[in-house]
Amino acid sequence: LLLCSLWLSAAPLASSIFQQPTGTPAPPRLQYLLEPLHATVHTQRGATATLPCVLRALPRNYRVKWSKVEPANYGESVIIITNGLYHKNYGPLSPRVRLRHSHRYDASLTITDVALEDEGRYRCQLVNGLEDESVSLTLHLEGVVFPYQPSNGRYKFNYHEAKRACEQQDSRLATYQQLYKAWTEGLDWCNAGWILDGTVRYPIINSREPCGGHLLLPGVRTYGARDKQKDRFDAFCFTSALQGQVYFIRGHLNFKEAGQACRNHGAAIAKVGQLYSAWKFSQLDRCDGGWLEDGSVRYPITTPRQRCGGLPDPGVRSFGFPRKELRTYGTYCFVG
Protein backbone atom coordinates (compact mmCIF):
# COMPACT_ATOMS: atom_id res chain seq x y z
CA LEU A 1 0.00 0.00 0.00
CA LEU A 2 1.15 3.51 -0.76
CA LEU A 3 1.39 5.93 2.10
CA CYS A 4 -1.02 8.83 2.19
CA SER A 5 0.51 12.09 1.05
CA LEU A 6 -2.41 14.40 1.75
CA TRP A 7 -0.88 16.81 4.28
CA LEU A 8 -2.53 19.89 5.68
CA SER A 9 -0.92 22.96 7.30
CA ALA A 10 2.41 24.23 5.94
CA ALA A 11 4.16 20.93 5.24
CA PRO A 12 4.48 21.49 1.45
CA LEU A 13 5.87 25.00 2.02
CA ALA A 14 8.40 23.74 4.53
CA SER A 15 9.66 21.08 2.17
CA SER A 16 10.31 23.72 -0.49
CA ILE A 17 12.29 25.97 1.90
CA PHE A 18 14.55 23.43 3.57
CA GLN A 19 16.25 21.70 0.64
CA GLN A 20 18.39 18.64 1.25
CA PRO A 21 22.01 18.63 0.01
CA THR A 22 22.40 17.02 -3.40
CA GLY A 23 22.65 13.26 -3.12
CA THR A 24 21.36 13.17 0.46
CA PRO A 25 18.02 11.35 0.79
CA ALA A 26 15.27 13.26 2.58
CA PRO A 27 14.32 11.85 5.97
CA PRO A 28 11.11 9.85 5.83
CA ARG A 29 7.99 11.68 6.91
CA LEU A 30 5.90 10.17 9.65
CA GLN A 31 2.58 9.46 8.02
CA TYR A 32 -0.11 7.31 9.56
CA LEU A 33 -2.92 6.77 7.04
CA LEU A 34 -2.58 4.28 4.22
CA GLU A 35 -3.76 5.30 0.78
CA PRO A 36 -6.66 2.99 -0.19
CA LEU A 37 -6.04 0.73 -3.16
CA HIS A 38 -9.30 1.89 -4.75
CA ALA A 39 -10.69 5.38 -4.25
CA THR A 40 -14.20 4.36 -5.36
CA VAL A 41 -16.41 1.80 -3.64
CA HIS A 42 -19.21 0.40 -5.82
CA THR A 43 -22.46 -0.74 -4.27
CA GLN A 44 -26.25 -0.87 -4.72
CA ARG A 45 -29.19 0.37 -2.70
CA GLY A 46 -29.96 -1.90 0.25
CA ALA A 47 -26.45 -3.37 0.37
CA THR A 48 -23.76 -3.02 3.05
CA ALA A 49 -20.70 -1.03 1.95
CA THR A 50 -17.36 -0.40 3.68
CA LEU A 51 -15.16 2.62 3.00
CA PRO A 52 -11.58 1.67 3.91
CA CYS A 53 -9.44 3.76 6.26
CA VAL A 54 -6.45 1.99 7.83
CA LEU A 55 -3.59 3.36 9.95
CA ARG A 56 -0.03 2.09 9.74
CA ALA A 57 0.66 3.18 13.34
CA LEU A 58 -1.26 4.68 16.24
CA PRO A 59 -0.12 8.16 17.31
CA ARG A 60 -0.70 9.45 20.81
CA ASN A 61 -3.95 11.24 21.56
CA TYR A 62 -5.33 10.91 18.05
CA ARG A 63 -8.86 11.00 16.70
CA VAL A 64 -10.31 9.76 13.43
CA LYS A 65 -13.20 11.76 11.99
CA TRP A 66 -15.41 10.53 9.15
CA SER A 67 -17.45 13.11 7.23
CA LYS A 68 -19.49 13.33 4.05
CA VAL A 69 -18.55 16.10 1.65
CA GLU A 70 -21.59 18.18 0.68
CA PRO A 71 -20.78 20.06 -2.54
CA ALA A 72 -24.16 21.82 -2.61
CA ASN A 73 -23.34 23.87 0.50
CA TYR A 74 -19.53 23.67 0.31
CA GLY A 75 -19.33 21.91 3.65
CA GLU A 76 -18.95 18.56 5.34
CA SER A 77 -21.34 16.64 7.57
CA VAL A 78 -19.65 14.77 10.41
CA ILE A 79 -20.67 11.10 10.58
CA ILE A 80 -18.56 9.54 13.31
CA ILE A 81 -15.57 10.42 15.54
CA THR A 82 -13.41 7.87 17.37
CA ASN A 83 -10.29 7.91 19.52
CA GLY A 84 -9.70 4.19 19.05
CA LEU A 85 -11.49 3.25 22.29
CA TYR A 86 -14.75 5.15 22.09
CA HIS A 87 -16.77 6.60 19.25
CA LYS A 88 -19.76 8.86 18.70
CA ASN A 89 -22.15 8.93 15.74
CA TYR A 90 -23.67 12.10 14.27
CA GLY A 91 -26.37 13.14 11.82
CA PRO A 92 -28.99 11.25 9.79
CA LEU A 93 -26.56 8.45 8.90
CA SER A 94 -26.06 7.68 12.59
CA PRO A 95 -28.37 4.61 12.83
CA ARG A 96 -26.79 2.94 9.79
CA VAL A 97 -23.05 3.46 10.30
CA ARG A 98 -20.42 1.77 12.42
CA LEU A 99 -16.66 1.33 12.48
CA ARG A 100 -15.54 -1.98 11.02
CA HIS A 101 -12.65 -2.22 13.49
CA SER A 102 -11.46 -5.63 12.31
CA HIS A 103 -8.10 -4.89 14.03
CA ARG A 104 -6.62 -2.11 16.16
CA TYR A 105 -5.41 -0.13 13.11
CA ASP A 106 -8.74 -0.34 11.27
CA ALA A 107 -10.92 2.81 11.22
CA SER A 108 -12.97 1.84 8.14
CA LEU A 109 -16.58 3.02 7.92
CA THR A 110 -19.36 0.51 7.28
CA ILE A 111 -22.74 1.73 6.00
CA THR A 112 -25.65 -0.70 6.21
CA ASP A 113 -28.83 -0.63 4.11
CA VAL A 114 -27.28 1.83 1.66
CA ALA A 115 -29.78 4.50 0.52
CA LEU A 116 -29.87 6.55 -2.67
CA GLU A 117 -28.78 9.69 -0.81
CA ASP A 118 -25.64 7.95 0.53
CA GLU A 119 -23.84 8.28 -2.79
CA GLY A 120 -21.05 10.85 -2.76
CA ARG A 121 -17.59 11.67 -1.45
CA TYR A 122 -16.44 10.81 2.07
CA ARG A 123 -13.38 11.88 4.04
CA CYS A 124 -11.47 9.97 6.70
CA GLN A 125 -9.34 12.46 8.65
CA LEU A 126 -6.72 11.64 11.24
CA VAL A 127 -6.66 14.50 13.77
CA ASN A 128 -3.25 14.49 15.44
CA GLY A 129 -2.21 17.97 16.46
CA LEU A 130 -0.50 19.79 13.60
CA GLU A 131 0.08 16.63 11.59
CA ASP A 132 -3.47 16.02 10.38
CA GLU A 133 -3.92 13.90 7.26
CA SER A 134 -6.90 12.60 5.35
CA VAL A 135 -8.00 10.31 2.54
CA SER A 136 -11.04 10.80 0.31
CA LEU A 137 -13.23 8.02 -1.05
CA THR A 138 -16.30 7.95 -3.27
CA LEU A 139 -19.32 5.74 -2.68
CA HIS A 140 -20.86 4.96 -6.08
CA LEU A 141 -24.29 3.38 -6.49
CA GLU A 142 -25.02 1.31 -9.56
CA GLY A 143 -28.30 2.53 -10.99
CA VAL A 144 -30.28 4.07 -13.81
CA VAL A 145 -31.22 7.65 -14.73
CA PHE A 146 -34.59 8.44 -16.29
CA PRO A 147 -36.25 11.67 -17.42
CA TYR A 148 -39.50 12.54 -15.70
CA GLN A 149 -42.32 15.00 -16.29
CA PRO A 150 -45.80 15.25 -14.75
CA SER A 151 -49.16 14.48 -16.35
CA ASN A 152 -49.81 18.12 -17.25
CA GLY A 153 -46.91 18.37 -19.69
CA ARG A 154 -43.26 19.29 -19.90
CA TYR A 155 -41.43 22.05 -18.04
CA LYS A 156 -43.77 22.22 -15.05
CA PHE A 157 -41.35 21.65 -12.14
CA ASN A 158 -39.37 24.19 -10.20
CA TYR A 159 -36.33 22.67 -8.48
CA HIS A 160 -38.11 21.73 -5.26
CA GLU A 161 -41.05 20.19 -7.11
CA ALA A 162 -38.67 18.18 -9.30
CA LYS A 163 -36.84 16.91 -6.22
CA ARG A 164 -40.12 15.90 -4.59
CA ALA A 165 -41.43 14.26 -7.78
CA CYS A 166 -38.38 12.00 -8.05
CA GLU A 167 -38.67 11.01 -4.39
CA GLN A 168 -42.35 10.15 -4.88
CA GLN A 169 -41.34 7.77 -7.68
CA ASP A 170 -38.79 5.83 -5.57
CA SER A 171 -35.79 7.78 -6.84
CA ARG A 172 -33.94 11.05 -6.29
CA LEU A 173 -32.66 13.86 -8.48
CA ALA A 174 -29.64 12.61 -10.42
CA THR A 175 -26.18 14.04 -9.87
CA TYR A 176 -24.16 15.39 -12.78
CA GLN A 177 -21.91 12.33 -12.61
CA GLN A 178 -24.92 10.02 -12.82
CA LEU A 179 -26.39 11.91 -15.77
CA TYR A 180 -23.03 11.94 -17.55
CA LYS A 181 -22.62 8.19 -17.08
CA ALA A 182 -26.17 7.65 -18.39
CA TRP A 183 -25.26 9.72 -21.46
CA THR A 184 -22.19 7.55 -22.13
CA GLU A 185 -24.50 4.52 -21.91
CA GLY A 186 -26.94 5.89 -24.49
CA LEU A 187 -29.35 8.33 -22.81
CA ASP A 188 -30.47 10.79 -25.50
CA TRP A 189 -33.15 13.25 -24.39
CA CYS A 190 -34.10 16.62 -25.83
CA ASN A 191 -36.01 18.08 -22.86
CA ALA A 192 -33.96 19.92 -20.23
CA GLY A 193 -34.30 18.81 -16.62
CA TRP A 194 -33.17 19.69 -13.12
CA ILE A 195 -30.38 17.71 -11.48
CA LEU A 196 -29.32 17.62 -7.84
CA ASP A 197 -26.84 20.52 -7.89
CA GLY A 198 -29.53 22.96 -9.08
CA THR A 199 -28.33 23.16 -12.67
CA VAL A 200 -30.46 22.29 -15.71
CA ARG A 201 -29.06 19.94 -18.36
CA TYR A 202 -29.97 17.49 -21.09
CA PRO A 203 -28.00 14.63 -22.70
CA ILE A 204 -27.71 14.47 -26.50
CA ILE A 205 -26.09 11.69 -28.52
CA ASN A 206 -27.63 12.45 -31.92
CA SER A 207 -27.38 16.18 -32.67
CA ARG A 208 -30.56 17.41 -34.35
CA GLU A 209 -32.43 20.59 -35.16
CA PRO A 210 -34.99 20.68 -32.29
CA CYS A 211 -32.22 20.01 -29.75
CA GLY A 212 -29.79 22.87 -30.29
CA GLY A 213 -29.14 22.19 -33.96
CA HIS A 214 -26.83 19.93 -35.95
CA LEU A 215 -23.74 22.05 -35.33
CA LEU A 216 -23.59 21.49 -31.58
CA LEU A 217 -21.53 18.48 -30.60
CA PRO A 218 -23.09 15.59 -28.66
CA GLY A 219 -22.75 15.82 -24.89
CA VAL A 220 -24.50 16.74 -21.68
CA ARG A 221 -25.60 20.26 -22.51
CA THR A 222 -26.29 22.78 -19.79
CA TYR A 223 -28.43 25.81 -19.11
CA GLY A 224 -26.34 26.43 -16.00
CA ALA A 225 -27.71 27.18 -12.54
CA ARG A 226 -31.30 28.42 -12.63
CA ASP A 227 -33.70 30.06 -10.18
CA LYS A 228 -34.92 27.16 -8.03
CA GLN A 229 -38.22 28.85 -7.28
CA LYS A 230 -39.19 30.51 -10.56
CA ASP A 231 -37.66 28.50 -13.41
CA ARG A 232 -39.49 25.40 -14.60
CA PHE A 233 -38.15 22.33 -16.35
CA ASP A 234 -38.46 18.54 -16.26
CA ALA A 235 -36.44 16.32 -13.90
CA PHE A 236 -33.73 13.70 -14.28
CA CYS A 237 -34.23 11.05 -11.60
CA PHE A 238 -31.87 8.30 -10.41
CA THR A 239 -32.78 4.96 -8.86
CA SER A 240 -30.88 1.84 -7.88
CA ALA A 241 -31.61 -1.83 -7.14
CA LEU A 242 -34.90 -2.85 -5.52
CA GLN A 243 -35.48 -4.86 -2.39
CA GLY A 244 -38.54 -6.45 -3.89
CA GLN A 245 -40.11 -7.50 -7.17
CA VAL A 246 -42.09 -5.84 -9.95
CA TYR A 247 -44.54 -8.03 -11.88
CA PHE A 248 -47.34 -7.60 -14.41
CA ILE A 249 -51.04 -8.39 -14.07
CA ARG A 250 -52.78 -8.78 -17.38
CA GLY A 251 -56.26 -7.34 -17.89
CA HIS A 252 -58.37 -4.50 -19.22
CA LEU A 253 -58.28 -2.27 -16.16
CA ASN A 254 -58.89 1.37 -15.50
CA PHE A 255 -56.50 3.15 -13.13
CA LYS A 256 -58.58 2.54 -10.00
CA GLU A 257 -59.04 -1.15 -10.85
CA ALA A 258 -55.30 -1.47 -11.50
CA GLY A 259 -54.47 -0.30 -7.99
CA GLN A 260 -57.05 -2.66 -6.50
CA ALA A 261 -55.71 -5.60 -8.52
CA CYS A 262 -52.26 -5.07 -6.98
CA ARG A 263 -53.70 -4.74 -3.47
CA ASN A 264 -55.63 -7.98 -3.97
CA HIS A 265 -52.25 -9.69 -4.39
CA GLY A 266 -50.78 -8.05 -1.27
CA ALA A 267 -48.78 -5.62 -3.39
CA ALA A 268 -48.90 -1.95 -4.40
CA ILE A 269 -49.11 -0.44 -7.84
CA ALA A 270 -45.51 0.11 -8.98
CA LYS A 271 -43.82 3.50 -9.13
CA VAL A 272 -41.91 4.72 -12.16
CA GLY A 273 -38.52 4.33 -10.45
CA GLN A 274 -39.40 0.78 -9.44
CA LEU A 275 -40.22 -0.17 -13.03
CA TYR A 276 -36.94 1.32 -14.26
CA SER A 277 -35.06 -0.55 -11.54
CA ALA A 278 -36.73 -3.85 -12.45
CA TRP A 279 -35.89 -3.24 -16.11
CA LYS A 280 -32.25 -2.40 -15.31
CA PHE A 281 -31.43 -4.95 -12.62
CA SER A 282 -33.95 -7.78 -13.14
CA GLN A 283 -34.12 -7.55 -16.95
CA LEU A 284 -37.91 -7.22 -16.81
CA ASP A 285 -39.11 -7.48 -20.42
CA ARG A 286 -42.78 -7.17 -21.32
CA CYS A 287 -44.59 -5.93 -24.38
CA ASP A 288 -47.69 -5.01 -22.37
CA GLY A 289 -48.52 -1.48 -21.33
CA GLY A 290 -49.42 -1.24 -17.65
CA TRP A 291 -50.60 1.42 -15.22
CA LEU A 292 -48.14 2.90 -12.73
CA GLU A 293 -48.69 4.80 -9.48
CA ASP A 294 -48.41 8.27 -11.08
CA GLY A 295 -51.15 7.49 -13.63
CA SER A 296 -48.77 6.88 -16.52
CA VAL A 297 -48.74 3.74 -18.68
CA ARG A 298 -45.37 2.20 -19.53
CA TYR A 299 -43.70 -1.08 -20.42
CA PRO A 300 -40.07 -2.32 -20.12
CA ILE A 301 -38.15 -3.77 -23.08
CA THR A 302 -34.74 -5.41 -22.69
CA THR A 303 -34.82 -7.25 -26.05
CA PRO A 304 -36.00 -4.80 -28.74
CA ARG A 305 -38.32 -6.28 -31.37
CA GLN A 306 -40.56 -4.97 -34.09
CA ARG A 307 -43.87 -5.79 -32.47
CA CYS A 308 -42.93 -3.97 -29.24
CA GLY A 309 -42.63 -0.42 -30.44
CA GLY A 310 -40.07 -1.09 -33.14
CA LEU A 311 -37.36 1.03 -31.50
CA PRO A 312 -33.82 -0.35 -31.85
CA ASP A 313 -32.65 0.19 -28.27
CA PRO A 314 -33.76 -1.30 -24.92
CA GLY A 315 -35.68 0.99 -22.61
CA VAL A 316 -38.86 1.75 -20.71
CA ARG A 317 -41.45 2.85 -23.26
CA SER A 318 -44.27 5.22 -22.36
CA PHE A 319 -47.85 5.73 -23.51
CA GLY A 320 -47.95 8.95 -21.51
CA PHE A 321 -50.86 9.65 -19.17
CA PRO A 322 -54.08 8.21 -20.66
CA ARG A 323 -57.50 9.00 -19.21
CA LYS A 324 -57.79 7.05 -15.97
CA GLU A 325 -61.20 5.74 -16.96
CA LEU A 326 -59.80 3.79 -19.92
CA ARG A 327 -60.01 -0.01 -19.60
CA THR A 328 -57.18 -0.77 -22.02
CA TYR A 329 -54.14 -1.74 -19.98
CA GLY A 330 -52.93 -4.13 -17.34
CA THR A 331 -50.91 -3.03 -14.31
CA TYR A 332 -47.42 -3.32 -12.88
CA CYS A 333 -47.29 -4.19 -9.18
CA PHE A 334 -44.48 -4.02 -6.62
CA VAL A 335 -44.12 -6.29 -3.62
CA GLY A 336 -41.29 -5.62 -1.13
Side-chain angles (χ1 to χ4, degrees), residues 247-265 268-270 288-292 295-298 319 321-333:
Y247 63 93
F248 181 74
I249 294 179
R250 189 184 299 275
H252 297 282
L253 309 170
N254 63 32
F255 177 72
K256 185 176 180 180
E257 293 166 343
Q260 188 59 52
C262 292
R263 290 191 292 273
N264 291 344
H265 286 75
I269 189 168
D288 307 279
W291 292 103
L292 295 177
S296 66
V297 172
R298 306 174 194 250
F319 287 113
F321 295 84
R323 288 188 298 110
K324 292 184 176 181
E325 297 77 24
L326 281 178
R327 285 190 170 92
T328 307
Y329 307 104
T331 184
Y332 287 95
C333 304

Side-chain angles (χ1 to χ4, degrees), residues 34 53-56 58 84 100-108:
L34 297 177
C53 184
V54 178
L55 287 73
R56 62 180 296 272
L58 300 178
R100 182 174 64 179
H101 206 63
S102 58
H103 53 79
R104 62 195 297 247
Y105 301 103
D106 184 15
S108 302

Side-chain angles (χ1 to χ4, degrees), residues 118-229:
D118 295 343
E119 175 157 305
R121 192 156 65 92
Y122 292 76
R123 191 160 78 111
C124 176
Q125 181 182 13
L126 175 70
V127 182
N128 179 36
L130 297 178
E131 297 183 337
D132 295 356
E133 6 173 335
S134 65
V135 293
S136 292
L137 300 109
T138 299
L139 185 66
H140 171 75
L141 269 69
E142 301 294 341
V144 58
V145 171
F146 61 93
Y148 189 74
Q149 59 183 225
S151 60
N152 57 342
R154 74 171 194 161
Y155 294 176
K156 300 296 184 181
F157 295 134
N158 67 24
Y159 174 83
H160 306 287
E161 291 164 345
K163 185 173 182 290
R164 187 161 56 249
C166 288
E167 291 167 356
Q168 289 171 346
Q169 295 306 315
D170 193 50
S171 58
R172 72 191 297 252
L173 277 178
T175 65
Y176 172 74
Q177 291 78 10
Q178 290 164 345
L179 183 61
Y180 183 88
K181 183 173 185 291
W183 169 70
T184 66
E185 295 172 348
L187 183 60
D188 181 277
W189 198 255
C190 203
N191 292 347
W194 293 102
I195 63 173
L196 188 62
D197 64 4
T199 61
V200 174
R201 304 174 187 261
Y202 63 102
I204 292 295
I205 291 176
N206 302 306
S207 297
R208 50 202 187 272
E209 202 55 48
C211 307
H214 293 280
L215 298 180
L216 282 179
L217 293 174
V220 178
R221 297 174 182 166
T222 180
Y223 288 3
R226 311 298 290 190
D227 189 307
K228 292 182 178 181
Q229 293 288 353

